[in-house]
Amino acid sequence: RLKGGVSLYSATNIFWSASMISSGKYQILANGSISYLSNAITDQYSPYPTLHLLGNNPISIYMGIVPSRSIRFVKYNGSSWSTEANIVNISGSSNQFSTAKDSSNNIHLVYVDNGIKYKKYNGSNWTSADATLSSDANDVDPKVSIDSDGNPLVIWSKYNSASDNDIVYKRFNGSTWDTNAKDLVNNGLL
């Protein structure tokens, strides 16, 4: 039984798809045949695996919970899948993350781990240090996108004590992140 997923075509006309299956694992299909079956066990609340093409080859990012909660990835080199590898261990119980790919084939990852954190994959390596965009453990639901200059923009729900949340964002300008999160309603994105 499938639990949703993502799909895309490569330039070589291979239809790649990734989906959760009932065993608590996920699978990646190439033209309908199983190409990869995860070792990771996920919980039912984990977000669906993401799938991006780096050239003609996919990379998949997903949340695993055994033996510990972590964001993991595998990538295909044209003939085989890499070994499942951790990107980051999550110290809390959050399973929230988001990814985006820029025009230079960099993968941008934001996630919740006692605040909002960011990492970047350059096709070979993940950044060794996380950028902490928020250290408020109540901030949730981060989403990352790429702006017209090719830089990441991260938006999330910021807790406030007025019993509702504000939608805020930070931009990366190519060398540094905004110092303070900006309120989307009052500042807009432009």
Side-chain angles (χ1 to χ4, degrees), residues 38-181:
S38 74
N39 291 321
I41 303 295
T42 62
D43 66 30
Q44 64 179 333
Y45 303 108
S46 292
Y48 299 124
T50 65
L51 199 57
H52 296 282
L53 286 177
L54 299 178
N56 289 320
N57 297 318
I59 181 172
S60 183
I61 301 165
Y62 52 92
M63 177 72 69
I65 61 169
V66 174
S68 62
R69 186 172 297 274
S70 62
I71 300 174
R72 305 167 190 189
F73 81 106
V74 292
K75 78 178 184 177
Y76 191 69
N77 67 13
S79 61
S80 64
W81 288 95
S82 67
T83 302
E84 183 176 273
N86 276 3
I87 300 168
V88 63
N89 290 320
I90 304 297
S91 60
S93 61
S94 175
N95 59 12
Q96 298 175 355
F97 73 93
S98 170
T99 64
K101 184 183 87 164
D102 65 28
S103 61
S104 298
N105 276 339
N106 296 306
I107 304 291
H108 302 268
L109 166 69
V110 292
Y111 59 97
V112 174
D113 188 18
N114 295 313
I116 308 297
K117 308 277 177 67
Y118 166 88
K119 277 188 171 289
K120 177 180 164 183
Y121 182 72
N122 65 11
S124 300
N125 298 298
W126 290 94
T127 52
S128 59
D130 298 342
T132 299
L133 304 180
S134 164
S135 56
D136 187 334
N138 294 308
D139 290 354
V140 294
D141 297 327
K143 302 294 182 239
V144 62
S145 65
I146 306 302
D147 69 16
S148 59
D149 294 324
N151 295 317
L153 172 120
V154 178
I155 189 168
W156 69 90
S157 181
K158 174 126 188 94
Y159 173 79
N160 73 40
S161 59
S163 75
D164 61 352
N165 289 353
D166 297 323
I167 305 300
V168 298
Y169 69 93
K170 280 190 177 183
R171 287 183 184 269
F172 187 73
N173 66 14
S175 58
T176 61
W177 286 94
D178 290 337
T179 303
N180 297 309

Side-chain angles (χ1 to χ4, degrees), residues 1-7 15-29 32-34 36-37 42 44 46 48-49:
R1 191 185 76 171
L2 301 179
K3 293 177 65 181
V6 294
S7 59
F15 178 71
W16 294 98
S17 63
S19 58
M20 302 296 288
I21 57 177
S22 60
S23 66
K25 296 183 178 190
Y26 84 95
Q27 65 185 3
I28 299 174
L29 304 176
S33 296
I34 292 178
Y36 179 80
L37 182 62
T42 62
Q44 64 179 333
S46 292
Y48 299 124

